[in-house]
Amino acid sequence: YKNAAQMYSTFQAVVTVEEPEESKRREQINNILEDMEFEAWIYSPDTPVNYPVMQYQDNQYYLNHLPDGTINGSGSIFIDYKNKFDFTDDNSILYGHHMNNGSMFAELKKYKTTAYYESHPFFYLYTKERIYKIELFSGYIIDATTSLPIKFGDGERDMFIKQVKEQSLFQSKVTIS
């Protein structure tokens, strides 16, 4: 935990995200993404979620490697290897550990309540080309081995959205367009 926390603290000290949509911040994030070879940066205001997003040729490598390649059980936040790293697929899947020290994606368990969701209804995702404001519309728990679709065929998207909204542990008023 200590080694991973030190590395992530170093990255987080360079990436300040107080004004996530400000153009100066956009330039700063873009320079960091280029310099550090991150695919993206994910940030959730007022939570510990503030990490680089990695990608590799499989979904195993970043389970136990930090962004600099150091072997470490904390691993990294990473996008599914089948996804396009520009987040243009129908469904982009991010993975990260639920750490006992509250880091990485441990905070996501708090989305079991609508009250927490209402206080934290979105994330920011910075890529080299864009800043995405991700409005959360569903949160539920699945087994780590569950396969999720990356592309949708005819009618599959609406069916998927309906399923995940029904499974959601919080109630969202977000309309999917």
Side-chain angles (χ1 to χ4, degrees), residues 23-164:
S23 61
K24 182 180 177 186
R25 191 77 55 233
R26 171 78 190 106
E27 183 180 330
Q28 176 194 41
I29 295 286
N30 195 45
N31 289 338
I32 291 166
L33 291 174
E34 289 294 330
D35 291 347
M36 305 302 264
E37 298 183 16
F38 302 148
E39 295 303 336
W41 191 277
I42 189 161
Y43 168 68
S44 176
D46 302 318
T47 77
V49 178
N50 186 20
Y51 293 98
V53 178
M54 309 304 292
Q55 188 176 39
Y56 196 68
Q57 62 196 14
D58 62 44
N59 285 340
Q60 301 302 309
Y61 183 79
Y62 282 114
L63 284 174
N64 60 7
H65 285 81
L66 299 177
D68 69 351
T70 303
I71 295 174
N72 186 293
S74 295
S76 299
I77 304 295
F78 61 96
I79 185 172
D80 194 290
Y81 80 99
K82 294 175 284 191
N83 276 122
K84 294 178 188 169
F85 60 83
D86 63 358
F87 294 86
T88 58
D89 287 314
D90 295 336
N91 194 25
S92 296
I93 303 166
L94 295 181
Y95 301 98
H97 290 300
H98 172 283
M99 302 298 289
N100 289 332
N101 67 355
S103 64
M104 304 295 278
F105 279 167
E107 191 83 1
L108 298 183
K109 72 179 180 232
K110 294 181 180 178
Y111 282 98
K112 291 179 180 179
T113 69
T114 298
Y116 186 81
Y117 161 74
E118 289 172 349
S119 297
H120 306 88
F122 59 87
F123 283 64
Y124 287 101
L125 182 73
Y126 297 88
T127 70
K128 293 172 180 147
E129 292 79 32
R130 300 184 65 178
I131 297 174
Y132 294 95
K133 183 175 181 180
I134 303 167
E135 294 180 277
L136 306 178
F137 71 94
S138 176
Y140 60 99
I141 299 168
I142 60 172
D143 185 81
T145 59
T146 301
S147 179
L148 294 170
I150 290 178
K151 293 277 186 204
F152 296 115
D154 292 338
E156 291 177 337
R157 179 182 177 272
D158 291 339
M159 188 168 57
F160 178 77
I161 290 170
K162 183 178 185 262
Q163 285 175 330
V164 300

